[in-house]
Amino acid sequence: MTRTAPSVAAAGFSPEQRRALTVLGISQTLGGAGMAAGITVGALLAQDLLGSTGLAGLPAALYTAGAAFGAAGLGRVGQRFGRRPGLALGNGIAALGSAGVVAGAATRWPVLLLAALFVYGAGTVTGLLARYAGTDLAPPERRGRAAGTVLFAMTLGAVVGPNLTGPTGDLADTWGLPRLTGPFLLATVAYVAAALVLVVWLCPDPLPPTPSRAPGAARTGRPTPGVITGATVMITAQLVMIAVMTMTPVHMADHGHTTQAVGLVIALHVGAMFLPSPLSGLLADRIGGRRVATAAGAVLLSAGLLASLAPPTSVPLLACALVLLGAGWNMALLGGTAMLADAAPAENRAAVQGLADVGTSVAGATGGMASGLVMGGGGYPVLAAAAGALALAVIPAVAMSGSRSA
């Protein structure tokens, strides 16, 4: 019989961790639908409201900049009060930001729209921070699989969300709102539900507060090589992925593709970001996070080259490129997460992990902002090829360097 999904029970996890992974999985499925809203229509909303392709990367820059602040703040909350309050608060912030995006677009007030995207980003980082909660109760040899299980749970919501662009747009239109706000209406409801699931059912807390994690305990000394290597891999992959992903909807819209076609391509991309998580996590446990990260560099290069060379009228080839982009990002993220989980000290684990994701979010903001400028100056093919080359130049070099210094 073919297995189509990871079995938490069969993975050798304790009953306590199986419960935590199940609750995290439900909240991640809901949060995945909310996260997909910004990916699918964020750039199109900005292009419509600001009237500039060069500024179409601004939403990705804003919500990834917000994610940087969210990662730092929610990491501190998790360090001091436990995982459950931090993750629930993050989903609540994402719901508030989603509602603000709808209000900003409805009133055609750019300042409100852009501020809300920042708040939205501060909350959406919760979906990635949750992978660390999955590793809290896992033995070292199963941390990759635990993180992969949590990320995998985002797949359903993240894939379904973009494909609801049409129906949610119809609903928004019925309510007298711009059609592009439809996915953010869905995000508001999904994030509220995710927060409630965590508050009610994530008990016991995977990382409960202890006296050793007092406010001063979050201050760390010099980062270990494993932390630096893992963080650098994730930072580079995030920059590359955000840069290409953000401009793909704009590139497709400029060549006459419908919103539904854009939603399909992004749905496939987001699915590839999370669907391979069990395999990437298993590989990280079996062969090590550094080797998985090294392979990710080659996959991301392939994605960039294919996106660069694909005819702009070809939805299948663009979809293939975005699938490779998502898969390469997934490998880099879980490879880096495995390195970080092994190297982060137990007494301030949540704070260190949050700071690593701050760097990842800043890289995403940089990629989002630069992508519009590069595309405006050189076009989408130049952007995609340059991003792929950057991934191959940095990720394997850093991963292998970390291996030699270990």
Side-chain angles (χ1 to χ4, degrees), residues 64-78 121-126 128-129 132 350-362:
T64 48
F69 282 86
L74 295 173
R76 295 276 181 167
V77 171
T124 57
V125 73
T126 306
L128 294 180
L129 287 174
Y132 294 124
V352 169
Q353 291 165 340
L355 288 175
D357 278 15
V358 169
T360 302
S361 298
V362 169

Side-chain angles (χ1 to χ4, degrees), residues 19 44-45 51 94-95 106 110 140 153 155 176 180 191 198 226 267 291 310 327 353 360 363:
R19 175 181 171 82
L44 298 176
L45 268 175
T155 305
L180 288 175
Y191 278 122
L198 292 166
R291 291 179 180 174
Q353 291 165 340
T360 302

Side-chain angles (χ1 to χ4, degrees), residues 129-355:
L129 287 174
R131 75 191 189 275
Y132 294 124
T135 69
D136 287 332
L137 301 176
E141 69 274 10
R142 298 186 184 275
R143 286 173 179 162
R145 275 166 281 188
T149 298
V150 174
L151 281 181
F152 176 83
M154 295 187 74
T155 305
L156 178 60
V159 171
V160 170
N163 283 301
L164 293 177
T165 299
T168 57
D170 292 340
L171 178 62
D173 187 57
T174 300
W175 289 352
L177 299 169
R179 293 186 64 85
L180 288 175
T181 63
F184 282 98
L185 290 173
L186 172 65
T188 303
V189 175
Y191 278 122
V192 169
L196 291 175
V197 166
L198 292 166
V199 168
V200 175
W201 286 301
L202 190 59
C203 185
D205 195 304
L207 189 68
T210 65
S212 65
R213 292 203 304 278
R219 298 186 180 94
T220 62
R222 185 175 181 180
T224 64
V227 169
I228 295 173
T229 302
T232 302
V233 165
M234 294 188 294
I235 285 168
T236 306
Q238 182 79 353
L239 189 153
V240 168
M241 188 272 291
I242 289 290
V244 178
M245 176 197 69
T246 300
M247 286 297 108
T248 299
V250 176
H251 175 62
M252 293 181 68
D254 287 346
H255 288 85
H257 295 288
T258 65
T259 303
Q260 203 65 19
V262 172
L264 174 62
V265 170
I266 296 302
L268 291 171
H269 164 68
V270 176
M273 287 172 63
F274 300 107
L275 192 62
S277 296
L279 177 59
S280 297
L282 176 63
L283 288 173
D285 287 339
R286 293 285 177 84
I287 67 175
R290 290 185 176 88
R291 291 179 180 174
V292 174
T294 300
V299 176
L300 289 170
L301 173 64
S302 300
L305 291 178
L306 181 56
S308 176
L309 297 173
T313 56
S314 176
V315 172
L317 287 179
L318 287 171
C320 287
L322 269 289
V323 165
L324 285 172
L325 183 72
W329 175 86
N330 179 271
M331 294 170 66
L333 184 74
L334 281 168
T337 297
M339 287 185 268
L340 201 62
D342 289 340
E347 66 273 10
N348 49 22
R349 181 181 302 155
V352 169
Q353 291 165 340
L355 288 175

Side-chain angles (χ1 to χ4, degrees), residues 38-122:
I39 295 174
T40 307
V41 299
L44 298 176
L45 268 175
Q47 186 179 36
D48 175 63
L49 204 56
L50 301 175
S52 170
T53 300
L55 294 176
L58 190 57
L62 284 170
Y63 61 69
T64 48
F69 282 86
L74 295 173
R76 295 276 181 167
V77 171
Q79 189 70 46
R80 187 181 299 188
F81 301 108
R83 294 288 191 193
R84 181 171 60 170
L87 296 178
L89 175 62
N91 281 297
I93 291 171
L96 178 64
S98 301
V101 170
V102 174
T107 58
R108 298 199 65 81
W109 188 8
V111 173
L112 176 58
L113 174 72
L114 297 177
L117 283 167
F118 181 87
V119 175
Y120 167 80

